Amino acid sequence: MSDDAMAQPFVKELVNQVRAHDTFGAWGKKTDAEVISPYIVDKEARKALPMMANPDPDTIWRVEMFYNAVALTIERRSGLVAQPIMKMHHEGFGRVVLTVGRLVAVSKHLRDVHRFGFVDHAKLNEAGEKLVAEAVELLERFPEAARA
Amino acid sequence: MSDDAMAQPFVKELVNQVRAHDTFGAWGKKTDAEVISPYIVDKEARKALPMMANPDPDTIWRVEMFYNAVALTIERRSGLVAQPIMKMHHEGFGRVVLTVGRLVAVSKHLRDVHRFGFVDHAKLNEAGEKLVAEAVELLERFPEAARA
């Protein structure tokens, strides 16, 4: 992993988001790359995961932080607050919605959440940026609903 | 409670919603009024409830059914599907959102969910109808977002 990958805006936002929850300072000495290493699931690691399993609370928390970072990046780009709401079934499927005013800026059905992860930091950044770009496009398309 | 109250459209939808989940036929012989009696919390019953408590799963389920009935009534009036997503903290606060296309048709912050209930059927109907009316108004105001 290169330093460039860690400097990508979405990845940086995610690092901030995870660090913000480090209320006991347990990760104070960890590098940014270490802090978000659980998000990187390469092909070998993925193979080692069972096809079906119930995600543990840490995994669900990780997914929540990912969508929090999406929400904060949307806010940074648009100046409008995005509120996340995520509902997970314990078997690992669910739905996440980010609302901006009266607009559904992001809506994703989740499944196989125990396998949530990205092959590398570039793919992680790409996934976050894609959601942000789609949301910003919707905000431009429906500005009144977003401000209602 | 009069028969009139039970014939009110939102109350009827809620009865249907609750009965639809009666997969074991346990409530087959119950009247409509009996089926939704847990929604009626009169002043005396409310007094008996603690100010703060963690809601049990039955109570949370009841709140979910209430918002499902709101979603179905919106659909019946507008022809557009409303999808509910509810996230509860175990201490009894949370948020519920009903989305129609890209529109947030209903958004409510919930608290003291263990005290969820209405003094009578008329108030129950009124509360449901109020949410439906606000949602339908938003659908008329933002038809494109609702159909996106």
Side-chain angles (χ1 to χ4, degrees):
Chain A
M1 185 226 21
S2 67
D3 287 347
D4 288 357
M6 293 308 299
Q8 290 171 324
F10 178 77
V11 171
K12 278 181 77 172
E13 191 69 64
L14 183 59
V15 169
N16 290 343
Q17 188 55 216
V18 174
R19 284 207 191 272
H21 285 77
D22 180 24
T23 45
F24 298 104
W27 304 327
K29 289 182 179 171
K30 284 194 182 182
T31 65
D32 286 354
E34 281 167 341
V35 162
I36 57 160
S37 64
Y39 285 94
I40 309 304
V41 181
D42 62 19
K43 276 185 185 169
E44 297 233 334
R46 185 171 298 268
K47 262 190 200 164
L49 289 169
M51 280 300 286
M52 282 182 286
N54 296 351
D56 57 33
D58 283 357
T59 306
I60 290 172
W61 183 84
R62 220 150 46 223
V63 178
E64 277 178 339
M65 290 306 109
F66 176 83
Y67 283 97
N68 280 1
V70 172
L72 285 166
T73 309
I74 291 169
E75 193 174 335
R76 216 175 277 276
R77 304 263 165 96
S78 68
L80 299 170
V81 175
Q83 288 188 304
I85 174 169
M86 185 169 112
K87 177 69 178 279
M88 288 296 304
H89 190 274
H90 67 268
E91 282 176 15
F93 55 88
R95 189 182 173 210
V96 59
V97 164
L98 305 189
T99 63
V100 177
R102 282 290 171 179
L103 193 69
V104 178
V106 171
S107 173
K108 287 281 279 186
H109 287 274
L110 306 170
R111 58 188 188 119
D112 298 333
V113 156
H114 69 289
R115 291 158 70 91
F116 187 82
F118 305 89
V119 288
D120 55 31
H121 290 79
K123 285 287 177 201
L124 166 61
N125 194 67
E126 204 179 298
E129 287 290 351
K130 186 167 176 278
L131 290 168
V132 171
E134 287 169 0
V136 169
E137 207 181 294
L138 279 164
L139 294 178
E140 285 164 3
R141 192 169 151 208
F142 300 114
E144 286 175 39
R147 282 171 174 80
Chain B
M1 185 229 18
S2 68
D3 288 346
D4 287 358
M6 293 308 300
Q8 289 170 323
F10 178 77
V11 171
K12 277 181 75 173
E13 190 69 65
L14 183 59
V15 169
N16 290 342
Q17 188 55 216
V18 174
R19 284 205 190 274
H21 285 77
D22 180 23
T23 44
F24 299 104
W27 302 328
K29 286 181 179 172
K30 285 194 181 181
T31 65
D32 286 353
E34 283 167 339
V35 163
I36 57 160
S37 64
Y39 286 93
I40 308 305
V41 181
D42 62 20
K43 276 184 187 170
E44 298 235 332
R46 185 171 297 266
K47 263 188 201 164
L49 288 170
M51 280 299 287
M52 283 182 286
N54 297 350
D56 58 33
D58 283 359
T59 306
I60 291 174
W61 183 82
R62 221 148 49 222
V63 179
E64 278 179 338
M65 291 304 109
F66 175 84
Y67 283 96
N68 279 1
V70 172
L72 285 165
T73 310
I74 292 169
E75 192 174 337
R76 217 176 277 275
R77 304 263 166 94
S78 69
L80 298 171
V81 175
Q83 288 188 304
I85 173 167
M86 185 169 111
K87 177 68 179 279
M88 288 296 301
H89 189 273
H90 68 269
E91 281 177 14
F93 55 88
R95 189 180 173 212
V96 58
V97 164
L98 305 188
T99 62
V100 177
R102 282 291 171 177
L103 193 70
V104 178
V106 172
S107 174
K108 286 282 277 184
H109 287 274
L110 306 169
R111 57 188 190 121
D112 298 334
V113 156
H114 69 291
R115 291 158 70 91
F116 187 83
F118 305 89
V119 289
D120 56 30
H121 291 79
K123 286 287 177 200
L124 167 61
N125 193 68
E126 207 179 295
E129 287 290 351
K130 186 167 174 280
L131 290 168
V132 171
E134 286 168 3
V136 169
E137 209 181 291
L138 279 164
L139 294 178
E140 284 164 2
R141 195 170 148 206
F142 301 114
E144 284 174 41
R147 283 173 174 78

